[in-house]
Amino acid sequence: MSEPERVKVVVIGAGQAGLSVAYYLRRFELVADEDFVMLDRAPGPGGAWQHRWSSLRLGTAHRVNDLPGMSELGLSFDTADRSLPAKEVVADYYGRFEEHFDLRVRRPMNVRSVVNDGPDLRVTSEDLSPQPVEDLKARGFFGRRRRTFEVPETPAAPRHEIVTRFLVNATGTWGSPFVPYYPGMGEFAGRHLHTSDYVAAEDFRDQHVVVVGGGTSAIGFMLELEDVAAGLTWVSRRPIDWLDRQELDLEGASAAVALQDEAARSGRALPSVVSGTGVPKSRRIAAGIERGLLVARPMFHRIEADRVVWHGDMAGMARADAIIWATGFRPELRHLAPLKLREKAGGVTVGQGAAWNDPRIFLAGYGPQASTIGANRAGRMIARQIMAML
Ligand code: FAD
């Protein structure tokens, strides 16, 4: 491997949080690709939005806030075409934003690890672009025997190293889906899917589907599958906290943000967002409740080959060809493991976007910042702190 590149700041992730940080770093006159480098694993712009299902539209769940500086391009998510899939609109707007502000995101670059390098940090990433076959031959990848204990990885992916003074981790949660364990999971003969695997309702035509989860994704799946599935069961660990209004008001959202902030500041695992906000009843949702579709049963006790089963007072079963786990995500922090930031309480101690145990590290979009508006706030807050230390 050649000599590592040296920069002031590396930003991992080019979703709303990473782009927002980059925008403010540029406003402080740092130069992209010289002073700071952005790395993103995905093939194109759009952050996690590019991977979401096609029927998801902007504004179906919550408001999607504009990136700072987006008005300079004459763009706003508020006036975007809502007949188009959110994944297309967001990818298009983020792409134009990156170009306009000349952010030079390097992709598809997957960061595998961040380690200490004296007073600095060494970021190792792999280039996920397809490699020409000749390169692979020259590097002896064909005809080589793999030992069973070798870490499975793409042999073709060339490594790159960057040494940096500051790191902004803005990797979101999409790559770290969470599925809780329930007895019998392994015996299920049907399909287990997580929100991140969902493509289209049509994939479930004439099937019996169980949707697990008490948030807006689970509700969205129930509404989409109603006319397609042969049978539909909704279960949630907690009773749904329906709000008697159509949208989340600022008060509800700020209470949830405060809960997230409290957990982040004390290094605890982050609570589920919906447990802090409740679920607003849009007209579509209210109608779904009214016609008996959106009535969640308590969580089942076990899973069998073709059904989920309740015991005791609730004894019963529901047939299942597929179980959709809309059970949320966890922050994607695997590559930071060598830095040992994780506390015994299960989280990383973070306040104002800064990791309290390491002044070189910032987590953008973490905890109270895990929304498009929070990500924008993170950008300004983190860029200011970095500039003060440079
Ligand atoms: P992401 O958009 O996930 O971006 C992270 C980026 O980091 C990705 O591009 C990824 O490729 C990259 N990355 C990850 N790991 C690595 C690595 N190791 N190396 C290199 N790159 C890496 N919020 C709202 O405000 N309004 C909504 O309507 C809304 N709807 C949502 C709907 C769903 C289904 C979900 C799951 C979330 C929704 N959210 C919504 C929350 C939303 O995800 C955040 O608000 C915001 O988009 C997250 O931005 P981010 O930059 O933190 O993360």
Side-chain angles (χ1 to χ4, degrees):
M1 219 177 310
S2 52
E3 269 296 291
E5 197 179 342
R6 285 181 184 272
V7 295
K8 294 181 177 131
V9 188
V10 167
V11 181
I12 312 176
Q16 185 100 2
L19 292 176
S20 171
V21 172
Y23 168 81
Y24 284 107
L25 289 177
R26 276 217 53 210
R27 276 194 45 181
F28 286 119
E29 299 188 348
L30 294 197
V31 179
D33 241 12
E34 269 180 51
D35 298 316
F36 72 94
V37 164
M38 293 192 79
L39 302 168
D40 194 286
R41 169 205 290 158
W49 288 93
Q50 71 193 279
H51 306 298
R52 289 188 183 140
W53 54 99
S54 297
S55 55
L56 188 70
R57 297 289 186 266
L58 282 178
T60 29
H62 305 292
R63 180 155 191 255
V64 177
N65 287 266
D66 293 343
L67 277 162
M70 212 158 92
S71 56
E72 224 179 272
L73 287 80
L75 296 176
S76 171
F77 289 126
D78 292 340
T79 52
D81 185 347
R82 299 216 162 184
S83 67
L84 293 174
K87 61 190 287 182
E88 285 176 19
V89 178
V90 178
D92 177 32
Y93 283 20
Y94 282 8
R96 291 204 241 168
F97 182 90
E98 288 177 17
E99 210 177 301
H100 181 82
F101 292 109
D102 196 21
L103 299 180
R104 304 186 184 205
V105 180
R106 298 184 192 174
R107 55 166 70 92
M109 297 298 289
N110 179 44
V111 174
R112 291 192 61 103
S113 68
V114 182
V115 298
N116 288 310
D117 186 320
D120 297 324
L121 293 158
R122 184 180 288 248
V123 180
T124 303
S125 57
E126 59 188 356
D127 183 347
L128 300 181
S129 9
Q131 301 299 309
V133 172
E134 297 73 52
D135 285 4
L136 302 187
K137 279 187 188 152
R139 289 162 62 212
F141 281 116
F142 296 129
R144 199 174 66 165
R145 267 219 343 246
R146 251 185 69 184
R147 286 175 304 188
T148 46
F149 53 82
E150 266 181 352
V151 181
E153 59 187 42
T154 327
R159 298 288 172 97
H160 293 266
E161 297 215 315
I162 308 180
V163 173
T164 182
R165 284 181 64 191
F166 295 100
L167 178 85
V168 180
N169 191 79
T171 48
T173 59
W174 188 257
S176 192
F178 173 71
V179 176
Y181 174 77
Y182 277 87
M185 276 183 104
E187 291 159 35
F188 187 53
R191 262 191 310 158
H192 284 292
L193 293 96
H194 181 267
T195 302
S196 55
D197 305 311
Y198 184 89
V199 177
E202 203 45 49
D203 296 342
F204 301 90
R205 181 158 292 282
D206 301 330
Q207 294 189 6
H208 291 265
V209 184
V210 174
V211 177
V212 185
T216 41
S217 296
I219 293 166
F221 295 147
M222 289 296 293
L223 290 165
E224 284 202 9
L225 293 169
E226 186 179 12
D227 297 330
V228 177
L232 207 45
T233 307
W234 183 25
V235 297
S236 166
R237 196 159 49 95
R238 265 188 295 262
I240 311 300
D241 178 17
W242 296 115
L243 302 175
D244 274 326
R245 38 183 184 266
Q246 296 216 21
E247 282 183 356
L248 268 188
D249 66 357
L250 272 177
E251 200 189 314
S254 62
V257 169
L259 283 178
Q260 294 281 323
D261 196 33
E262 216 178 286
R265 282 175 190 272
S266 52
R268 280 187 278 119
L270 302 170
S272 103
V273 175
V274 77
S275 65
T277 58
V279 183
K281 276 193 235 164
S282 67
R283 269 201 212 109
R284 197 164 160 241
I285 291 178
I289 299 171
E290 188 84 10
R291 62 181 182 274
L293 171 76
L294 294 179
V295 180
R297 297 184 67 173
M299 208 49 214
F300 46 74
H301 293 106
R302 63 171 290 113
I303 303 170
E304 295 180 358
D306 61 352
R307 67 195 62 199
V308 296
V309 177
W310 289 261
H311 300 315
D313 295 350
M314 302 178 280
M317 64 79 134
R319 255 187 79 180
D321 301 308
I323 303 177
I324 305 180
W325 298 90
T327 40
F329 296 83
R330 298 286 181 262
E332 188 168 357
L333 303 174
R334 280 184 296 268
H335 50 288
L336 302 184
L339 300 172
K340 299 193 175 8
L341 298 173
R342 205 178 278 282
E343 310 281 358
K344 283 207 178 78
V348 178
T349 311
V350 179
Q352 311 263 47
W356 283 11
N357 297 333
D358 192 328
R360 302 166 301 175
I361 296 172
F362 295 85
L363 272 72
Y366 184 84
Q369 303 171 345
S371 64
T372 47
I373 187 150
N376 292 354
R377 238 189 343 258
R380 198 176 47 236
M381 218 183 254
I382 291 171
R384 273 197 190 141
Q385 293 177 71
I386 290 176
M387 294 315 294
M389 287 191 280
L390 271 177

